[in-house]
């Protein structure tokens, strides 16, 4: 008999290919993934997986996106530097008009309402729109309007959505996959990579005052996100935490060696299997239940 687990997939851009490796190992080891929660790239992978796509099929879908149009903007997009047209086109081809109620496996995405400051657990309506909202890095990608909310990337509030996974599958052990808790240390400012790689101009661009100012902001934001993620994990305490070694993978774009990133997720998940085996032996009544938190808003079909 398969042992049930819920999976919480973090944000992390192109590092998210590692989520596919982690899911593959869980399947190979005979675990029944009964629910998936996700933030940003974790919501994209989670939505496709909940819709019935296998990890290998999701990899093919992601690799099919034309990198030249990956960050194109849509007509009518709200102010942002880049867009998500390439991702949206792929998602709509794969998911069509499906709503959360249409998915064969429970799924939830996390976004942040920058107006009310509430964390939003999306569980109803268009799956594609939910993923786009959960992936909207503020300033980088356009926010998504939903009713009175203006939604952006959920990683700002709950980058590894353990609490949502527990709400989707109460009493089931949660396997949390975090795509790095802190950016790697650097010795000098010129070692900080640009958000978008431009090989021929990297050195010259990195010396510009505006580039350095932007990089300082991005670097500080990554560190703040790392601290917030660690604190959130200390509070929510998943039964199993998996941290693939993907610190060298750039967040934006398509990794040149996607299979290596997938393999990093596989390796991290295999290393965590003994902890997962222990967790699945715990009596149900010893497992954590989601605490009440009024700053979370749960949007489901009963709302």
């Amino acid at each position: 008999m398969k042992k049930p687990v819920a999976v919480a997939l973090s944000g992390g851009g192109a590092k998210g290919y590692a989520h596919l490796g982690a899911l593959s190992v869980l399947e190979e080891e005979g675990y029944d993934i009964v629910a998936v929660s996700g933030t940003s790239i974790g919501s994209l992978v989670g939505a496709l997986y909940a819709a019935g796509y296998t990890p290998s099929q999701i990899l093919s879908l992601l690799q099919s996106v034309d990198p030249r149009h990956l960050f194109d903007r849509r007509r009518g997009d709200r102010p942002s530097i880049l867009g998500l047209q390439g991702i949206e086109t792929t998602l709509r081809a794969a998911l069509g008009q499906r709503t959360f109620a249409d998915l064969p496996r429970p799924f939830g995405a996390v976004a942040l309402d920058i107006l009310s400051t509430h964390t939003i657990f999306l569980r109803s309506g268009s799956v594609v729109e939910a993923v786009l909202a959960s992936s909207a890095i503020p300033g980088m990608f356009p926010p998504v309007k939903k009713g009175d909310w203006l939604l952006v990337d959920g990683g700002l509030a709950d980058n590894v959505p353990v609490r949502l996974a527990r709400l989707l599958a109460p009493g089931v052990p949660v396997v949390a996959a975090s795509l790095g808790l802190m950016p790697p240390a650097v010795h000098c400012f010129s070692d900080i990579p640009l958000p978008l790689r431009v090989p021929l101009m990297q050195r010259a661009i990195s010396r510009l005052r505006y580039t350095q100012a932007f990089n300082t902001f991005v670097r500080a934001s990554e560190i703040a996100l790392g601290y917030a993620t660690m604190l959130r994990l200390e509070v929510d305490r998943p039964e199993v935490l998996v941290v693939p070694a993907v610190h060298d993978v750039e967040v934006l774009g398509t990794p040149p060696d996607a299979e290596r990133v997938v393999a990093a997720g596989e390796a991290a998940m295999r290393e965590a299997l003994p902890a997962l085996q222990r967790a699945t032996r715990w009596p149900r009544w010893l497992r954590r239940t989601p605490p009440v938190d009024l700053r979370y808003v749960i949007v489901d079909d009963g709302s």
Side-chain angles (χ1 to χ4, degrees), residues 196-269:
L196 286 172
R197 182 70 65 184
V198 189
L200 297 178
M201 304 173 65
Q202 179 81 8
R203 184 176 296 276
I205 292 176
S206 67
R207 292 176 176 173
L208 296 176
R209 176 165 55 92
Y210 293 108
T211 303
Q212 292 184 1
F214 180 68
N215 269 13
T216 300
F217 172 76
V218 171
R219 175 75 173 177
S221 298
E222 289 177 339
I223 294 170
L225 177 61
Y227 277 116
T229 299
M230 290 191 293
L231 179 60
R232 183 80 264 170
L233 288 170
E234 283 289 328
V235 172
D236 292 339
R237 298 185 64 185
E239 280 73 18
V240 177
L241 176 62
V242 178
V243 185
V246 291
H247 61 273
D248 60 333
V249 179
E250 295 173 21
V251 171
L252 297 179
T254 302
D257 188 0
E259 286 74 16
R260 179 184 69 81
V261 185
V262 173
E266 293 175 348
M269 190 68 251

Side-chain angles (χ1 to χ4, degrees), residues 135-152:
S135 305
I137 300 173
M140 190 68 69
F141 301 126
V144 174
K145 191 79 167 65
K146 184 179 177 67
D148 294 332
W149 298 325
L150 191 60
L151 302 178
V152 297

Side-chain angles (χ1 to χ4, degrees), residues 17 20 54-64 258-259 262:
Y17 283 76
L20 303 176
T54 66
S56 61
Q57 289 172 330
I58 297 173
L59 176 60
S60 297
L61 284 170
L62 292 177
Q63 291 180 316
S64 71
E259 286 74 16
V262 173

Side-chain angles (χ1 to χ4, degrees), residues 17 51 61 71 94 111 113 115 120 125 129 138 167 210 220 245 268 276 296 301:
Y17 283 76
L61 284 170
F71 299 128
D113 175 27
L115 302 180
I120 310 298
E129 289 298 323
L167 288 167
Y210 293 108
L276 179 55
Y296 284 80
D301 292 322

Side-chain angles (χ1 to χ4, degrees), residues 115-135:
L115 302 180
S116 71
T117 76
H118 285 95
T119 303
I120 310 298
F121 287 166
L122 295 167
R123 286 279 298 123
S124 70
S126 166
V127 176
V128 172
E129 289 298 323
V131 172
L132 294 176
S134 183
S135 305

Side-chain angles (χ1 to χ4, degrees), residues 15-219:
K15 302 173 191 283
Y17 283 76
H19 288 327
L20 303 176
L23 292 172
S24 295
V25 171
L26 286 174
E27 289 185 342
E28 291 170 8
E29 294 297 321
Y31 287 95
D32 182 13
I33 302 173
V34 298
V36 186
S37 65
T39 299
S40 200
I41 186 63
S43 74
L44 187 152
V45 171
L48 291 169
Y49 188 77
Y53 287 91
T54 66
S56 61
Q57 289 172 330
I58 297 173
L59 176 60
S60 297
L61 284 170
L62 292 177
Q63 291 180 316
S64 71
V65 181
D66 186 341
R68 296 171 301 176
H69 301 291
L70 180 62
F71 299 128
D72 285 354
R73 288 171 48 81
R74 298 177 298 177
R75 183 182 299 274
D77 271 347
R78 288 176 172 78
S80 62
I81 298 173
L82 303 172
L84 288 170
Q85 181 65 63
I87 293 295
E88 180 180 359
T89 299
T90 301
L91 283 174
R92 292 204 183 278
L95 299 174
Q97 300 300 315
R98 271 184 261 195
T99 68
F100 283 83
D102 298 323
L103 300 177
R105 179 182 278 111
F107 166 68
V110 181
L112 173 68
D113 175 27
I114 58 174
L115 302 180
S116 71
T117 76
H118 285 95
T119 303
I120 310 298
F121 287 166
L122 295 167
R123 286 279 298 123
S124 70
S126 166
V127 176
V128 172
E129 289 298 323
V131 172
L132 294 176
S134 183
S135 305
I137 300 173
M140 190 68 69
F141 301 126
V144 174
K145 191 79 167 65
K146 184 179 177 67
D148 294 332
W149 298 325
L150 191 60
L151 302 178
V152 297
D153 194 314
L156 295 169
D158 198 351
N159 197 39
V160 190
V162 174
R163 185 169 303 200
L164 177 54
R166 289 202 171 105
L167 288 167
L168 295 171
V172 172
V174 174
V175 179
S178 176
L179 301 173
L181 299 176
M182 274 289 181
V186 295
H187 294 95
C188 61
F189 195 89
S190 60
D191 292 336
I192 300 175
L194 293 175
L196 286 172
R197 182 70 65 184
V198 189
L200 297 178
M201 304 173 65
Q202 179 81 8
R203 184 176 296 276
I205 292 176
S206 67
R207 292 176 176 173
L208 296 176
R209 176 165 55 92
Y210 293 108
T211 303
Q212 292 184 1
F214 180 68
N215 269 13
T216 300
F217 172 76
V218 171
R219 175 75 173 177

